[in-house]
Amino acid sequence: MMPIQANLYAGWRRQAFAAPVLREGDSASPPPERLLQAVWHHQRLRRDQLQTLDGRRLQVLHPGFWNREAGPDFRGAVLQFDADQPRTGDVEIDLRPADWHGHGHDRNPAFQNVLLHVVGDRPDSASQPSLSLKGVLDSPVSELGEWLGSEAARQTPAGIEGRCAAPLKELPAETLDELLRQAARCRLQAKAALLQARARQAGWEQALREGLFRALGYKQNVWPLQRLAEITGGLLAGQPAARATAFDWQARLLGLAGLLPAELPRAASGIGAYLRRAWDFWWRERDQFADSVLPREAWRFHGLRPANHPQRQLALAGHWLARTDLFAQLEKWFVTEVPERLLVDSLHEILQAPGDDFWSWHWTLNSARMAKPQLLLGATRVTDLAVNVILPWFWVRAVAGGNETLRQVAEARYYLWPAAEDNAALRFARQRLLRGAGPRTLRTAARQQALLQIGRDFCEHSNAVCEQCPFPDLVRRCGDGSGREASSGC
């Protein structure tokens, strides 16, 4: 057998990870933005030599949390300029100083809390506090490029975890389970209280309808969906609207949402035929609802997956509104004993829309026809609807009616429900509280809800360095038995 060359694999890695722009001396090309983000994340900098372009000394007390969604690259950084008081805000990473205006950050409200613009090049001037990484990296650029592909670059940097991570790690398993269970119950009660407050004004069914609509909006489009639920709730009081088909409701919702294209395609395609039918219906109602039509500016489309587009969510809502038995079917599901392994599937069967001639084959009103039909409601989304809306709704109805048996049913299903799909908020919570534990650590949706609730109650009221946060000490007291006070609520 021929021996292979020494350090052959290391050479392969260098070829794979060291991009051409990482060559030293190539001053015309700054390092790739992904590398700059990793450098800031791990603070691969000469931290005692940092100075903004306007000459101020910069101390990075905390680099912030890497934002994988729209907006600034790092959230919640703690920075100190000269001898000023430390400030908490965001950090944006760009290759070139001109990218601040070129990418429209100066016009985007999401960037108004940016404290520092970090760039790869050194500009002649800057319109906001800026830091050039040129000359302050702790290693040659080529070496950093190779490091970017290593396991070390993917690990959570020291100091990113919260001060509560250590005491939480030291808790006995049964104590941690009980703590998470109680936090999850607080979240259940908080969501239930909102539904109950709305039910006092509009009734239980309308409160649930609005909750379901809000959930379809994800975090970007909660309020437009809420408004549409309020409008359609009034329409459902009339018999003609109650007898509308799913297509009628889709046309009405798209019209009210301001999401029907003003111009129809010339070609007699599937999209064109659907839009002509929709406009034929909406044209008859347009004047009646002129004061209720939402402006297109009310919607947010950036960063949405096609399956989450508002047009598609309204198509699903149209099927729900056309059903006269939806609430009765949910009631039957709730009082029927369902094996744990069938919880998601059984609710999915009720909420799923039947095959839709148009929406089973199109993501949006502009997308090409798909090769295979897609469900309007995925199984993973059912979990969000269950733990955030449906189970809290049943729980608070049982509490309001003094039905202890049904309250226990709601709680049992809530605690047993399988975990939802992982997301940025959960990854952040695991990073801060559980030292970057994997998603399987949160094996149920309730444990996920618990971690989110702890973040809401404590992390959001402190900063990245956990300044004045009482939670770490409370956890320590819980672990040594001195903090086990009895509590009847949240």
Side-chain angles (χ1 to χ4, degrees):
M1 179 180 295
M2 292 281 295
I4 65 173
Q5 179 182 347
N7 299 323
L8 177 66
Y9 185 78
W12 289 350
R13 289 188 71 254
R14 281 192 294 273
Q15 294 175 28
F17 296 120
V21 293
L22 297 180
R23 291 194 298 265
E24 291 293 338
D26 186 4
S27 58
S29 297
E33 190 167 316
R34 176 168 168 255
L35 176 58
L36 295 185
Q37 291 171 343
V39 163
W40 181 262
H41 184 52
H42 290 265
Q43 289 290 285
R44 295 293 307 270
L45 308 169
R46 300 174 186 172
R47 287 166 51 81
D48 58 342
Q49 300 177 21
L50 302 183
Q51 190 177 63
T52 61
L53 294 175
D54 58 2
R56 289 183 291 171
R57 181 175 178 241
L58 172 67
Q59 294 186 69
V60 181
L61 306 182
H62 195 288
F65 305 102
W66 203 337
N67 175 34
R68 312 288 182 161
E69 300 181 332
D73 292 311
F74 290 84
R75 301 277 196 184
V78 183
L79 309 177
Q80 185 173 18
F81 299 91
D82 284 338
D84 296 346
Q85 288 295 316
R87 298 170 60 191
T88 298
D90 302 331
V91 173
E92 172 64 10
I93 313 286
D94 281 318
L95 295 181
R96 299 170 179 85
D99 291 341
W100 179 262
H101 296 288
H103 295 167
H105 300 330
D106 56 322
R107 304 182 301 275
N108 189 339
F111 289 78
Q112 64 184 3
N113 199 36
V114 169
L115 296 179
L116 185 69
H117 188 212
V118 177
V119 295
D121 275 351
R122 186 173 184 86
D124 296 329
S125 62
S127 57
Q128 66 285 323
S130 301
L131 170 71
S132 171
L133 297 184
K134 201 166 187 177
V136 296
L137 301 176
D138 69 1
S139 300
V141 174
S142 56
E143 185 177 310
L144 288 171
E146 185 176 346
W147 160 80
L148 182 62
S150 70
E151 181 64 27
R154 290 189 290 271
Q155 293 175 350
T156 301
I160 293 297
E161 64 188 34
R163 288 197 301 113
C164 58
L168 282 171
K169 180 74 173 178
E170 295 170 1
L171 284 182
E174 61 274 13
T175 304
L176 178 60
D177 286 344
E178 178 59 21
L179 181 63
L180 294 178
R181 183 181 181 88
Q182 292 181 19
R185 180 183 172 87
C186 283
R187 196 165 178 85
L188 170 67
Q189 291 174 339
K191 293 179 181 297
L194 292 175
L195 291 164
Q196 184 179 37
R198 183 55 180 156
R200 294 192 190 104
Q201 304 173 47
W204 286 110
E205 286 193 3
Q206 179 61 15
L208 177 58
R209 184 179 297 113
E210 291 178 12
L212 292 173
F213 270 55
R214 285 197 304 272
L216 292 182
Y218 296 82
K219 65 181 180 182
Q220 293 95 332
N221 293 302
V222 169
W223 292 112
L225 265 297
Q226 167 76 28
R227 179 57 186 149
L228 292 178
E230 292 167 353
I231 297 171
T232 55
L235 293 176
L236 284 168
Q239 289 302 310
R243 291 196 297 268
T245 66
F247 174 82
D248 294 342
W249 275 113
Q250 289 173 359
R252 181 178 289 126
L253 288 169
L254 289 167
L256 286 167
L259 297 181
L260 274 178
E263 295 185 6
L264 300 178
R266 294 183 178 180
S269 62
I271 294 177
Y274 180 88
L275 285 176
R276 284 179 171 81
R277 286 183 61 206
W279 266 110
D280 285 345
F281 180 90
W282 175 240
W283 192 262
R284 298 191 296 270
E285 297 191 346
R286 185 181 184 183
D287 291 342
Q288 176 187 351
F289 296 111
D291 294 338
S292 301
V293 175
L294 300 178
R296 190 175 180 85
E297 292 75 21
W299 300 94
R300 298 291 180 267
F301 304 101
H302 182 72
L304 286 176
R305 292 183 293 180
N308 302 340
H309 195 281
Q311 291 173 344
R312 188 170 179 81
Q313 301 309 303
L314 292 178
L316 173 60
H319 281 278
W320 287 349
L321 292 171
R323 289 181 55 181
T324 58
D325 67 338
L326 179 61
F327 293 101
Q329 288 294 315
L330 288 173
E331 295 270 8
K332 182 179 178 181
W333 169 81
F334 182 65
V335 299
T336 302
E337 185 174 346
V338 179
E340 180 182 348
R341 60 185 177 84
L342 297 179
L343 281 174
V344 176
D345 290 343
S346 61
L347 183 58
H348 189 206
E349 185 176 352
I350 296 171
L351 296 176
Q352 180 57 266
D356 188 296
D357 291 341
F358 179 82
W359 289 104
S360 293
W361 298 92
H362 295 85
W363 292 119
T364 70
L365 290 172
N366 295 318
S367 62
R369 182 181 172 89
M370 292 181 279
K372 296 180 180 180
Q374 299 290 329
L375 297 175
L376 276 170
L377 179 66
T380 56
R381 194 61 184 155
V382 172
T383 291
D384 294 329
L385 295 171
V387 299
N388 291 314
V389 183
I390 295 174
L391 292 177
W393 183 74
F394 277 119
W395 183 88
V396 76
R397 284 186 63 196
V399 171
N403 193 321
E404 181 65 15
T405 299
L406 292 183
R407 182 191 67 78
Q408 292 179 4
V409 170
E411 287 189 14
R413 292 193 181 182
Y414 179 74
Y415 290 127
L416 288 173
W417 205 276
E421 192 174 33
D422 199 30
N423 57 42
L426 287 169
R427 287 191 290 272
F428 172 77
R430 293 199 312 273
Q431 183 184 65
R432 289 290 279 166
L433 279 67
L434 301 181
R435 291 184 165 176
R440 292 187 178 182
T441 306
L442 306 177
R443 58 184 179 275
T444 65
R447 289 175 73 93
Q448 292 175 321
Q449 293 288 303
L451 224 59
L452 294 174
Q453 188 63 37
I454 293 171
R456 172 71 58 85
D457 292 336
F458 295 96
C459 299
E460 290 186 10
H461 296 279
S462 183
N463 58 17
V465 292
C466 304
E467 192 173 34
Q468 298 180 346
C469 180
F471 190 62
D473 290 336
L474 293 173
V475 174
R476 290 189 185 92
R477 290 167 54 194
C478 181
D480 63 22
S482 62
R484 304 192 180 200
E485 301 95 344
S487 176
S488 59
C490 301

